[in-house]
Amino acid sequence: MSARAGKVVCDLTVSLDGYAAGPGQSEERPFGDDGGDGSGATLHAWMFEDADENRAEIDLLGSARAFVMGRNMFGPVRGPWDRPWNGWWGDEPPFHAPVFVLTHHAREPQPMAGGTTFHFVTDGIGAALERARAAAGDGDVAVAGGATTVNQYLAAGLIEELRLHVVPLTLGAGPRLFDGVPPLELAQVASRPARRVTHLTYEVLG
Amino acid sequence: MSARAGKVVCDLTVSLDGYAAGPGQSEERPFGDDGGDGSGATLHAWMFEDADENRAEIDLLGSARAFVMGRNMFGPVRGPWDRPWNGWWGDEPPFHAPVFVLTHHAREPQPMAGGTTFHFVTDGIGAALERARAAAGDGDVAVAGGATTVNQYLAAGLIEELRLHVVPLTLGAGPRLFDGVPPLELAQVASRPARRVTHLTYEVLG
Ligand SMILES: NC(=O)c1ccc[n+]([C@@H]2O[C@H](COP(=O)([O-])OP(=O)(O)OC[C@H]3O[C@@H](n4cnc5c(N)ncnc54)[C@H](OP(=O)(O)O)[C@@H]3O)[C@@H](O)[C@H]2O)c1
Ligand SMILES: NC(=O)c1ccc[n+]([C@@H]2O[C@H](COP(=O)([O-])OP(=O)(O)OC[C@H]3O[C@@H](n4cnc5c(N)ncnc54)[C@H](OP(=O)(O)O)[C@@H]3O)[C@@H](O)[C@H]2O)c1
């Protein structure tokens, strides 16, 4: 029996049509063709422009004790790690915890300031989650994105709580939440409207 | 200048992944493979099981003065009208107003009890909306579904208010809202959580 009390959670900001980013990501446009300048500002206005109103959700985002993410959320480098890249977030990333980056391209762990270390995991979603769980202790593990990664965890039944921040725009293309994921039964555990976003929290029942 | 004050609205119940029905509709399963018995009861539990709690939204649904719908929402008959079919709703359908059914197969109007007449429109979404507007006078026109029909009106910029009832399940396949619709800018005008649904209302800005 495990003493773990933490959950596997997933927070994702999605357009009303379910996209977590637009297509065509590049170093200059981390969110691709996102209806704005590619910075994700359109999707994340609720965080950056309306932070006070959404304080509870923003605080929850950062409360996980380990993170799993896909290689494209980490950066625009594709294929071999042939140039320096330590994430979009500067020297002190906002995770303050171990981050397990899924990739097919092995790389040494990359420690950063403020407690974040990027670990690169080449043996799949199960292995990444196991390592994140071990690192999180009794805290939560967050599957942080993008949609390609989240969809794999949803399909495997490994996400317990899904927190969607639904924003008033559609993108029409890009990595889409639930794409290819078999039907799920959910329980709506919370739903909170704010001015330019609705925060939906679901327990994933199976 | 027109004296019309009504709006073109669209109410749709969607799974969290955006489907308005499952795949494989038949006479026995009007909503196809909807995660339940095909009756739409899973998607529409908020209407049928939690009617008191959702009274305001249910009342609004019926308040339009003319309706436009796709031929599959009207029934399971495909191709020529080679057998009697007057809708899923019995002798007195809940519309109490003219209903314009989009189809490629011409048919005479079908009057029903209680004020509903089904008109079959073979000359496209613009023509159907014009006829519905004329019939609605200063009342609202509702584009009632399914997703295939709604998507055409969204793509053409003809829906002014979109009211989504988002329910806690995913379907993974079927006619999907926003499928093939170019990016839209929306304004969230209301968002109301109920126990097993969240009601989201958007103004479509363009
Ligand atoms: N809206 C939000 O809240 C949110 C959150 C996070 C990210 N985003 C955005 O989403 C976009 C990235 O999402 P995405 O869906 O394109 O990609 P992603 O999930 O971040 O990364 C996908 C990549 O990760 C690696 N990967 C994933 N699963 C793997 C596995 N099982 N084994 C080995 N490697 C695996 C593969 O890279 P390799 O094969 O190249 O190694 C794969 O191409 C970015 O634009 C980002 O800004 C948005
Ligand atoms: N969740 C909800 O709130 C909700 C609401 C409504 C319906 N539904 C469900 O959605 C499903 C039906 O939706 P759907 O997306 O499959 O189909 P639909 O939009 O109801 O109907 C599509 C059909 O309508 C005709 N049509 C559509 N546009 C046309 C055009 N521009 N010109 C001529 N004909 C046109 C075509 O039929 P022909 O070519 O055969 O004539 C087409 O195959 C049903 O299962 C229904 O129960 C759910």
Side-chain angles (χ1 to χ4, degrees), chain A residues 16-17 19 164 166 168-172 176 178 181-188 191 193-198 200 202, chain B residues 16-17 19 164 166 168-172 176 178 181-188 191 193-198 200 202:
Chain A
L16 188 58
D17 55 347
Y19 294 93
L164 300 182
V166 180
L169 58 97
T170 67
L171 290 174
R176 184 166 65 82
F178 297 123
V181 177
L184 298 172
E185 204 188 326
L186 307 160
Q188 179 180 302
S191 171
R195 208 154 39 96
R196 295 193 288 185
V197 63
T198 297
L200 298 172
Y202 298 94
Chain B
L16 188 57
D17 54 347
Y19 294 92
L164 300 183
V166 180
L169 58 97
T170 67
L171 290 173
R176 185 165 65 81
F178 297 123
V181 177
L184 298 172
E185 203 188 325
L186 307 160
Q188 179 180 301
S191 170
R195 207 152 41 94
R196 296 193 288 184
V197 62
T198 297
L200 298 172
Y202 298 94

Side-chain angles (χ1 to χ4, degrees), chain A residues 9-21 40 42-47 53-62 143-144 161-169 171 177-178 190-194 196-202, chain B residues 16 188 191 200 202:
Chain A
V9 305
C10 169
D11 264 285
L12 212 61
T13 297
V14 289
S15 60
L16 188 58
D17 55 347
Y19 294 93
T42 48
L43 281 166
H44 288 109
W46 69 271
M47 271 190 206
E53 195 194 359
N54 297 298
R55 181 58 55 200
E57 287 78 13
I58 293 170
D59 287 348
L60 208 52
L61 259 179
V143 177
E161 189 166 291
L162 184 61
R163 304 174 191 149
L164 300 182
H165 313 283
V166 180
V167 299
L169 58 97
L171 290 174
L177 180 64
F178 297 123
S191 171
R192 194 181 80 82
R196 295 193 288 185
V197 63
T198 297
H199 305 288
L200 298 172
T201 305
Y202 298 94
Chain B
L16 188 57
Q188 179 180 301
S191 170
L200 298 172
Y202 298 94

Side-chain angles (χ1 to χ4, degrees), chain A residues 27-118:
Chain A
E27 183 163 350
E28 293 69 37
R29 298 168 65 83
F31 282 79
D33 193 359
D34 65 358
D37 62 4
S39 71
T42 48
L43 281 166
H44 288 109
W46 69 271
M47 271 190 206
F48 298 119
E49 293 177 39
D50 306 333
D52 286 349
E53 195 194 359
N54 297 298
R55 181 58 55 200
E57 287 78 13
I58 293 170
D59 287 348
L60 208 52
L61 259 179
S63 70
R65 297 250 294 277
F67 296 81
V68 176
M69 68 175 62
R71 198 249 184 115
N72 301 359
M73 176 168 175
F74 178 67
V77 184
R78 300 290 186 272
W81 298 100
D82 54 7
R83 62 191 174 99
W85 184 268
N86 292 334
W88 309 98
W89 303 277
D91 291 337
E92 188 170 339
F95 305 103
H96 310 293
V99 176
F100 298 88
V101 179
L102 284 165
T103 174
H104 291 98
H105 299 273
R107 180 177 158 181
E108 289 302 304
Q110 177 65 53
M112 308 291 291
T116 297
T117 298
F118 293 115

Side-chain angles (χ1 to χ4, degrees), chain B residues 15-185:
Chain B
S15 60
L16 188 57
D17 54 347
Y19 294 92
Q25 186 201 51
S26 66
E27 183 163 348
E28 294 69 39
R29 298 168 64 83
F31 282 80
D33 193 359
D34 65 356
D37 62 4
S39 70
T42 47
L43 281 166
H44 288 109
W46 70 272
M47 272 190 205
F48 298 118
E49 294 176 40
D50 306 333
D52 286 350
E53 196 193 0
N54 298 298
R55 182 58 54 201
E57 287 79 12
I58 293 170
D59 288 348
L60 208 52
L61 259 180
S63 70
R65 298 251 293 278
F67 295 81
V68 176
M69 68 175 60
R71 198 249 184 116
N72 302 357
M73 175 169 176
F74 177 67
V77 184
R78 301 289 187 271
W81 298 100
D82 55 6
R83 62 190 174 101
W85 183 268
N86 291 335
W88 309 98
W89 304 276
D91 290 339
E92 188 170 339
F95 305 104
H96 311 293
V99 176
F100 298 88
V101 179
L102 285 164
T103 174
H104 291 98
H105 299 273
R107 180 177 157 181
E108 289 302 304
Q110 176 65 54
M112 308 290 291
T116 298
T117 297
F118 294 115
H119 301 272
F120 300 88
V121 182
T122 55
D123 45 357
I125 62 166
L129 183 58
E130 251 175 61
R131 291 179 63 186
R133 277 185 159 135
D138 58 3
D140 288 350
V141 171
V143 177
T148 305
T149 293
V150 172
N151 289 343
Q152 293 178 66
Y153 281 101
L154 284 171
L158 293 172
I159 290 178
E160 294 169 72
E161 188 165 291
L162 184 61
R163 304 174 191 148
L164 300 183
H165 312 282
V166 180
V167 299
L169 58 97
T170 67
L171 290 173
R176 185 165 65 81
L177 180 65
F178 297 123
D179 198 8
V181 177
L184 298 172
E185 203 188 325

